[in-house]
Amino acid sequence: MIILAIETSCDETSASVLKSTGGRLELLSNVVSSQIDIHKQYGGVVPEVAARHHVQNINPVIMEALETAKIKPQKLSYLAVVSGPGLITSLIVGVEAAKALSVAWQKPLINVNHMYSHIAGNFLSKVEFPAVCLVVSGGHTELVLLKNYSQFKKIGQTVDDAAGEAFDKVAKLLGLGYPGGPAVALKATEFLISNFQFSKISLPRPLINSGDFNFSFSGLKTAVLYTAQKMKKKELEQRTSEICYEFQQAVVDVLVGKTMKAAQKHKVKTVLMAGGVAANKKLRESLRESVEAKGLKFGVPEFRLCTDNAAMVAIAGYYLAKKKRPSRDDWKKVKVNPNWELK
Ligand code: KG4
Ligand code: ZN
């Protein structure tokens, strides 16, 4: 099976070719054209600007993915595209391109949920089920219980801001720029390197003992704001890295704590992680340590497959195609759904 996948849910235009031989998956290409440098100047993603760049980039990115993979369109088994959740103006570019190619090349189109594609970033190697996956991105924070590669159930989610959103907002209020996650993580590391002591700042760990699997990060962000407001300009400059360290630790404590409770309650064999925030080194190390201490398996995609990319969409497409054989008319049913929630 050879799949060409397309991803345009936010500010990355991406296309990837995946080949499966007897169940062994091989990524032949994964082209990602990021707009981060463009949106940086606005302090966040501007939907209309993102859409215009997707329109410019989509054909060259798809062609590059095919050329790198050395695959002619006739050789493809299926196309796959993300139709939600995400920014409607961005999604529509990838979805319409995929539909047009489905009709022109006579290849069935597989409709992929963006959050499921993040989870599928873990499926390049074999997973022992049942598994629980912590999905942490810019727009979502969820715990998903997996029975197998394509059957799953959401067991908890954020009641307000997503973890990535909190990183981005904290970075903005501390003047660290966009995207916030890597900037805050870098500052936190700086604190660790220059101080062989614990942070004297204490921030809350929201909902850590709530007894359910929900999250809340809005109050934590506000606590950072109040902490920063109490400091004089010079003190804030000197202690920004300390605030970042404590903020990152608070997010990690909550995410790891709840994921481990879910793993225990549902007696899983494997704990997985996915989404842009899964690129955070501290979170990766802390979750791995806790999971392995319990004798469970741990999985997280390599860095480039954590933030938005089409390779994870191709992998998701592969498992969806195995579950239900796609047909050439499927493109007619694919509609952009910016609020498509995992059930
Ligand atoms: O999954 P993703 O690429 O896009 C969405 O679907 O939202 O996630 C982007 C999010 C942003 O909020 C970004 O700040 C965060 O992932 N992120 C990180 C790191 N790298 C990216 N957060 C914390 N630490 C990082 N190293
Ligand atoms: Zn994403």
Side-chain angles (χ1 to χ4, degrees), residues 55-72:
V55 170
Q56 271 173 20
N57 296 340
I58 189 83
N59 280 348
V61 164
I62 290 171
M63 288 308 140
E64 193 183 329
L66 288 170
E67 278 160 21
T68 308
K70 298 194 173 59
I71 293 290
K72 296 249 182 298

Side-chain angles (χ1 to χ4, degrees), residues 18 20 32 46 69 79 94 99 125 145 165 169 175 180 186 197-198 212 228 236 270 295 315:
L18 175 86
S20 83
V32 182
V46 183
L79 303 174
K99 282 184 176 185
S125 34
L145 195 62
E165 191 179 353
K169 286 178 175 170
L186 188 67
Q197 55 184 353
F198 290 108
D212 59 16
L236 182 58
T270 306
I315 304 167

Side-chain angles (χ1 to χ4, degrees), residues 114 118 137-139 164-165 167-168 179-182 185 275-277 279-280 306-308:
H114 180 61
H118 271 300
S137 72
E165 191 179 353
F167 268 98
D168 292 337
V277 184
N280 186 279
C306 284
T307 46
D308 292 346

Side-chain angles (χ1 to χ4, degrees), residues 141-330:
T141 299
E142 299 172 347
L143 275 168
V144 178
L145 195 62
L146 293 126
K147 203 169 160 187
N148 54 44
Y149 291 105
S150 54
Q151 275 185 296
F152 46 83
K153 195 174 118 198
K154 188 162 68 184
I155 54 170
Q157 62 186 336
T158 180
V159 295
D160 42 53
D161 290 355
E165 191 179 353
F167 268 98
D168 292 337
K169 286 178 175 170
V170 162
K172 200 168 188 173
L173 72 90
L174 294 175
L176 300 176
Y178 173 86
V184 170
L186 188 67
K187 281 278 168 198
T189 309
E190 275 174 31
F191 176 76
L192 207 57
I193 291 169
S194 57
N195 292 270
F196 299 100
Q197 55 184 353
F198 290 108
S199 158
K200 293 194 186 69
I201 294 166
S202 165
L203 293 169
R205 269 65 174 160
L207 299 190
I208 196 157
N209 293 315
S210 64
D212 59 16
F213 298 121
N214 288 337
F215 302 93
S216 164
F217 293 107
S218 167
L220 177 58
K221 168 207 67 194
T222 310
V224 171
L225 178 68
Y226 290 159
T227 304
Q229 279 173 343
K230 273 189 219 136
M231 293 179 185
K232 297 235 161 63
K233 197 167 171 249
K234 184 112 186 129
E235 186 190 3
L236 182 58
E237 269 169 28
Q238 284 167 348
R239 297 185 76 186
T240 294
S241 63
E242 188 179 350
I243 298 176
C244 289
Y245 175 84
E246 171 66 5
F247 166 76
Q248 177 176 267
Q249 194 57 54
V251 175
V252 168
D253 286 350
V254 174
L255 292 176
V256 172
K258 291 235 151 160
T259 306
M260 292 313 296
K261 279 183 191 160
Q264 211 172 353
K265 180 171 177 199
H266 294 278
K267 298 189 175 60
V268 302
K269 290 189 177 143
T270 306
V271 175
L272 304 171
M273 185 160 63
V277 184
N280 186 279
K281 272 199 188 139
K282 178 81 196 173
L283 178 60
R284 291 166 86 95
E285 284 164 11
S286 302
L287 190 57
R288 178 185 293 280
E289 260 175 36
S290 302
V291 171
E292 291 180 349
K294 292 274 175 222
L296 304 175
K297 295 238 155 48
F298 177 68
V300 61
E302 53 182 289
F303 284 102
R304 71 190 178 109
L305 297 188
C306 284
T307 46
D308 292 346
N309 67 86
M312 63 190 194
V313 183
I315 304 167
Y318 167 79
Y319 284 102
L320 293 174
K322 276 187 31 153
K323 190 175 163 192
K324 185 176 173 283
R325 215 184 157 77
S327 101
R328 278 193 198 161
D329 274 346
D330 283 353

